[in-house]
């Protein structure tokens, strides 16, 4: 099967990321992300897409950080003051390892432990490839699919690519342009994955969802298994596959809570307003307004974005358990940014405290020093 230039480029990038992940330690990742931001700024244009550029750069830089940081989840290892209860996830047990490595792992653990999911168990096959939607969870802001992808014994599985979700009844895309995912593999022929679509409350949840995707696999090497041969690995792609399933109406019941905060703080010499936080079972979103009541230009907005570095939200439940909700995404707005974090709303948190990097550009000797210098904003 012929591989398009775009696919070859993506595969090459993935290979390079894997090499960097092996070579970099957690302290290096901040520099890697900052370097990516600097390169992107050097290439930007002055067209009418500045906000879109800012959003794309943020998501790209964060994606690089997730790949490189692995279990460090944004640079700080999750801490809890209580032992995690051991709960049987039943048929979803294979996804426990995925949740442990996923930047969105706190959301998955909270949703599954609280029964906030729908088992689907629908499978589509194409040649040596098989794709199963195991479960789905949704609210007004997000749709998360847990899946299993497989190949037969003839080829090793590589990844799930070109995934998109549409409303099966209307044929329209159901996302707002932001999607993400992660997968893990316990053997050479099976991967367990998560695919996430960000939603807007302006569009109702669809009654029926269709996923369109392809699975890639590694073509067996002919000859020696040397490093040089491995670097020249060839990949094969399945035909495009479609799988459709109904979405449980229980997900349409509103769970979103909006907290109007209007907390003003200063960082890097700039005034920033944490105007509101949106809480839902699958995501926590925080809206920041830069230099409220002032007109600022694009360059200033970039400088403030560099200074505002939300790291995590610390959630505390009534039994004393603390969970760190990781930063998972962001979108540029006309007056600032909206940052997204994972969520454990279903655990009924009694306290939520957002932590931001305290001094822009400062390099810390250790994580403890960085923690002490963080800006702390009480949400709840």
């Amino acid at each position: 099967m012929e591989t398009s230039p775009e696919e070859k480029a993506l595969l090459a990038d993935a290979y390079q990321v894997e090499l960097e992940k092996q070579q970099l330690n957690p302290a290096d990742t901040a520099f890697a992300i900052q370097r990516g931001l600097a390169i992107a700024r050097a290439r930007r244009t002055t067209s009418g897409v500045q906000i879109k550029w800012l959003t794309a750069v943020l998501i790209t830089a964060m994606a690089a950080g997730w790949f490189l940081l692995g279990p460090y989840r944004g640079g700080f290892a999750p801490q809890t003051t209580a032992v995690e209860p051991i709960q049987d996830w039943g048929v979803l047990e294979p996804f426990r390892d995925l949740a442990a490595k996923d930047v969105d792992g706190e959301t998955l653990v909270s949703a599954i432990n609280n029964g906030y999911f729908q088992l689907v168990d629908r499978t589509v096959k194409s040649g040596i490839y098989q794709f199963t939607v195991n479960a789905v969870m949704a609210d007004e802001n997000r749709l998360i699919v847990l899946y299993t992808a497989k190949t037969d014994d003839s080829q090793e599985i590589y990844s799930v690519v070109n995934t998109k979700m549409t409303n099966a009844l209307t044929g329209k895309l159901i996302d707002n342009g932001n999607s993400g995912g992660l997968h893990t593999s316990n053997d050479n022929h099976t991967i367990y994955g998560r695919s996430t679509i960000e939603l807007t409350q302006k569009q109702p949840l669809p009654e029926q969802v269709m996923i369109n995707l392809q699975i890639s696999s590694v073509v067996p090497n002919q000859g020696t298994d040397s490093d040089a041969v491995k670097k020249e690995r060839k990949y094969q792609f399945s035909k495009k596959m479609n799988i459709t399933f109904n979405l449980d109406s229980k997900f349409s019941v509103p769970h979103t809570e909006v907290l109007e905060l209007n907390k003003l703080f200063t960082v890097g010499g700039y005034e920033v307003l944490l105007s509101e936080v949106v809480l839902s079972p699958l995501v926590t979103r925080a809206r920041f307004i830069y230099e409220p009541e002032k007109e600022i230009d694009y360059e200033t907005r970039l400088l403030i974005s560099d200074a505002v570095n939300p790291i995590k939200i610390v959630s505390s439940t009534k039994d004393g358990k603390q969970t760190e909700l990781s930063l998972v995404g962001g979108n540029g707005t006309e007056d600032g940014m909206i940052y997204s974090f994972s969520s454990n709303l279903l655990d009924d948190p009694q306290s939520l405290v957002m932590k931001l990097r305290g001094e822009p550009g400062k390099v810390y000797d250790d994580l403890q020093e960085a923690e002490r210098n963080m800006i702390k904003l009480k949400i709840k």
Side-chain angles (χ1 to χ4, degrees):
M1 177 180 290
E2 286 292 322
T3 303
S4 70
E6 292 80 6
E7 289 167 340
K8 289 180 179 178
L10 287 172
L11 291 170
D13 289 344
Y15 179 78
Q16 184 61 34
V17 167
E18 181 63 25
L19 287 180
E20 292 181 4
K21 183 176 72 172
Q22 296 171 11
Q23 296 166 1
L24 292 180
N25 60 46
D28 295 325
T29 58
F31 171 75
I33 294 172
Q34 292 170 1
R35 180 181 60 185
L37 286 167
I39 293 172
R41 275 198 294 273
R43 294 176 178 172
R44 71 180 182 267
T45 65
T46 55
S47 65
V49 293
Q50 292 110 333
I51 289 295
K52 291 183 179 179
W53 171 85
L54 181 59
T55 303
V57 168
L58 175 71
I59 293 173
T60 301
M62 288 174 59
W66 296 334
F67 272 115
L68 298 173
L69 288 169
Y72 282 86
R73 306 229 186 127
F76 298 91
Q79 304 288 330
T80 58
T81 57
V83 177
E84 283 281 350
I86 299 175
Q87 300 192 35
D88 182 7
W89 284 11
V91 296
L92 298 183
E93 193 63 39
F95 293 93
R96 191 183 292 274
D97 286 344
L98 174 73
K101 301 171 183 176
D102 193 354
V103 69
D104 237 338
E106 296 91 350
T107 302
L108 298 182
V109 170
S110 176
I112 295 175
N113 283 348
N114 285 281
Y116 192 80
F117 61 88
Q118 170 194 344
L119 293 177
V120 177
D121 192 26
R122 300 207 57 178
T123 299
V124 61
K125 297 181 179 180
S126 175
I128 68 171
Y129 305 98
Q130 176 178 304
F131 184 86
T132 300
V133 174
N134 300 93
V136 63
M137 48 196 76
D139 61 23
E140 301 98 312
N141 303 295
R142 281 184 130 195
L143 191 154
I144 299 176
V145 172
L146 299 180
Y147 64 80
T148 305
K150 295 183 177 182
T151 55
D152 67 15
D153 293 339
S154 65
Q155 292 190 23
E156 295 182 7
I157 195 164
Y158 186 73
S159 65
V160 176
V161 296
N162 301 326
T163 304
K164 68 177 181 179
M165 300 186 203
T166 59
N167 185 321
L169 301 181
T170 65
K172 294 183 178 179
L173 286 172
I174 59 175
D175 69 290
N176 68 349
N178 294 333
S179 62
L182 180 75
H183 68 249
T184 61
S185 177
N186 292 328
D187 61 59
N188 293 330
H189 302 282
T190 304
I191 58 177
Y192 299 98
R194 165 190 65 83
S195 185
T196 298
I197 293 294
E198 302 293 327
L199 304 172
T200 64
Q201 295 184 29
K202 296 179 181 179
Q203 53 183 161
L205 284 173
E207 296 179 16
Q208 195 175 72
V209 175
M210 182 174 73
I211 301 179
N212 180 268
L213 67 124
Q214 289 179 281
I215 299 174
S216 65
S217 58
V218 181
V219 178
N221 288 327
Q222 301 297 322
T224 62
D225 195 30
S226 66
D227 290 340
V229 171
K230 288 180 180 178
K231 290 181 180 180
E232 296 300 324
R233 287 190 301 179
K234 295 182 179 180
Y235 301 89
Q236 178 174 297
F237 293 80
S238 70
K239 293 181 180 179
K240 289 187 176 181
M241 296 186 282
N242 295 324
I243 187 166
T244 303
F245 57 91
N246 293 326
L247 202 60
D248 197 309
S249 59
K250 68 181 180 182
F251 294 130
S252 298
V253 178
H255 291 281
T256 298
E257 179 182 357
V258 180
L259 304 178
E260 300 288 347
L261 299 178
N262 293 320
K263 289 182 177 290
L264 189 65
F265 63 99
T266 301
V267 59
Y270 301 102
E271 284 194 339
V272 178
L273 182 72
L274 174 58
S275 62
E276 68 175 26
V277 172
V278 176
L279 308 176
S280 74
L282 302 183
V283 70
T284 306
R285 289 178 180 161
R287 182 184 182 93
F288 289 89
I289 297 175
Y290 300 157
E291 290 286 1
E293 310 300 331
K294 292 183 180 180
E295 291 288 336
I296 58 174
D297 57 23
Y298 176 56
E299 295 295 333
T300 303
R301 190 157 58 241
L302 284 179
L303 292 172
I304 300 176
S305 291
D306 285 346
V308 177
N309 280 291
I311 301 296
K312 58 191 174 183
I313 295 175
V314 178
S315 169
S316 303
T317 54
K318 59 184 177 183
D319 61 0
K321 175 187 172 183
Q322 287 193 347
T323 302
E324 293 186 358
L325 306 179
S326 305
L327 180 66
V328 299
N331 289 292
T333 65
E334 290 299 326
D335 55 9
M337 288 288 295
I338 296 177
Y339 290 97
S340 296
F341 299 80
S342 51
S343 172
N344 71 335
L345 181 64
L346 297 172
D347 298 334
D348 190 25
Q350 303 299 298
S351 169
L352 294 170
V353 177
M354 181 182 295
K355 295 188 176 183
L356 299 86
R357 187 156 298 164
E359 298 182 46
K362 181 175 180 178
V363 177
Y364 296 95
D365 294 331
D366 54 57
L367 298 181
Q368 290 72 27
E369 182 187 1
E371 182 79 25
R372 288 192 298 270
N373 282 276
M374 283 184 179
I375 297 172
K376 300 174 179 62
L377 301 175
K378 185 174 178 58
I379 296 173
K380 181 178 179 181

